[in-house]
């Protein structure tokens, strides 16, 4: 158990809908990272937040947005969902901002029908 | 051209073998080098991290980085069936952007 929690574990929804994925980092960690892992693609970095501020952005679609709250938990919002958004979404956390020691949560499996 | 190329595998070895997993990269901004292990699409688990060229050892695992050749490796000694998993190389820049390899699936046969 890495200490990073993600909810929900599974999510099934329809195209065009909007969902919110939640992540609680390990105690003491200030950075949160979001990743997407599809069957035919590796782990794709989406975005990093450090202590409430956006720090780095990867291949995140405009339909997706994230934020980190004062209590350091983070939410990833996915809107206008398409079939291709079906994937595992992982959250990771680290103490600092460098990203060298990230601890991953168990993931949320999103299925878009 | 992809920033990171990882030996695709799959790799199958007998128990006790030495395993070598390899990645090359093209982005000179990569400053931090990591290896993760992922079991059956569970959350990746950090195995090793390093910042500099050379070798870093932790138990049965050795991470090797050659910045001049833009090449990193992970060696597993005395491999065990429990090492069967997908191994991911990962890189970070000072700006915080993370890039992962596509993974190498390893099977260690008893």
């Amino acid at each position: 158990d890495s200490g990073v929690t993600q909810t929900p574990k599974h999510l099934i929804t329809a195209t065009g809908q909007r969902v919110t994925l939640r992540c609680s980092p390990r105690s003491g960690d200030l950075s949160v990272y979001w990743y997407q892992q599809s069957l035919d693609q590796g782990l794709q970095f989406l975005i990093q937040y450090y202590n409430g501020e956006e720090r780095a952005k990867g291949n995140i679609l405009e339909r997706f947005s994230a934020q980190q709250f004062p209590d350091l938990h983070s939410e990833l919002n996915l809107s206008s969902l398409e079939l291709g958004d079906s994937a595992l979404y992982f959250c990771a956390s680290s103490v600092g901002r460098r990203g060298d020691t990230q601890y991953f949560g168990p993931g949320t499996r999103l299925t878009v029908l | 051209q992809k920033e990171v190329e990882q030996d695709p595998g799959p790799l199958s070895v007998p128990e006790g073998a030495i395993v070598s997993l390899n990645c090359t990269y093209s982005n000179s901004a990569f400053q931090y080098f990591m290896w993760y292990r992922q079991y059956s699409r569970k959350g990746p688990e950090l195995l090793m991290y390093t910042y500099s060229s050379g070798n870093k050892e932790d138990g049965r695992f050795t991470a090797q980085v050659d910045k001049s050749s833009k090449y990193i490796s992970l060696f597993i000694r005395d491999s065990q069936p429990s090492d069967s998993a997908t191994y991911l190389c990962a890189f970070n820049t000072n700006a915080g952007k993370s890039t992962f390899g596509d993974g190498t699936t390893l099977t260690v046969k008893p």
Side-chain angles (χ1 to χ4, degrees), chain A residues 16-93:
Chain A
Q17 295 299 304
R18 173 189 168 95
V19 296
T20 297
L21 312 184
R22 183 188 167 103
C23 168
S24 292
R26 294 186 321 156
S27 176
D29 284 0
L30 298 179
S31 276
V32 169
Y33 311 78
W34 286 99
Y35 293 88
Q36 179 192 58
Q37 188 174 43
S38 308
L39 274 176
D40 58 351
Q41 283 194 13
L43 210 54
Q44 299 294 316
F45 169 68
L46 297 178
I47 197 163
Q48 178 199 3
Y49 279 83
Y50 176 75
N51 205 19
E53 299 288 327
E54 181 186 305
R55 180 163 192 267
K57 221 168 186 176
N59 303 321
I60 187 165
L61 299 173
E62 285 193 12
R63 301 183 285 110
F64 295 2
S65 65
Q67 54 183 326
Q68 186 179 28
F69 295 87
D71 67 353
L72 300 176
H73 91 271
S74 179
E75 293 181 355
L76 178 67
N77 300 296
L78 315 176
S79 61
S80 303
L81 285 167
E82 302 174 0
L83 295 177
D85 296 328
S86 295
L88 274 167
Y89 290 85
F90 289 107
C91 164
S93 72

Side-chain angles (χ1 to χ4, degrees), chain B:
Chain B
Q1 184 191 358
K2 292 173 75 169
E3 282 186 305
V4 175
E5 298 282 355
Q6 182 167 2
D7 286 354
L11 206 53
S12 181
V13 302
E15 184 174 353
I18 297 175
V19 176
S20 170
L21 303 164
N22 307 294
C23 288
T24 57
Y25 64 96
S26 59
N27 190 343
S28 299
F30 288 156
Q31 296 295 320
Y32 310 106
F33 310 93
M34 287 76 66
W35 285 95
Y36 287 83
R37 177 172 62 194
Q38 187 177 26
Y39 291 111
S40 300
R41 310 279 284 173
K42 306 280 190 216
E45 171 194 4
L46 178 65
L47 286 176
M48 303 279 291
Y49 66 93
T50 184
Y51 316 125
S52 55
S53 284
N55 291 353
K56 180 178 180 181
E57 194 172 313
D58 184 2
R60 296 185 295 112
F61 299 93
T62 299
Q64 184 177 81
V65 173
D66 183 342
K67 283 188 176 182
S68 60
S69 302
K70 294 191 173 63
Y71 186 93
I72 72 170
S73 297
L74 178 71
F75 299 96
I76 307 174
R77 288 183 299 281
D78 188 25
S79 55
Q80 303 295 310
S82 58
D83 294 328
S84 298
T86 296
Y87 289 79
L88 304 164
C89 57
F91 303 81
N92 260 68
T93 66
N94 277 328
K97 183 171 178 280
S98 300
T99 305
F100 279 70
D102 288 341
T104 301
T105 298
L106 169 68
T107 301
V108 181
K109 297 185 174 179

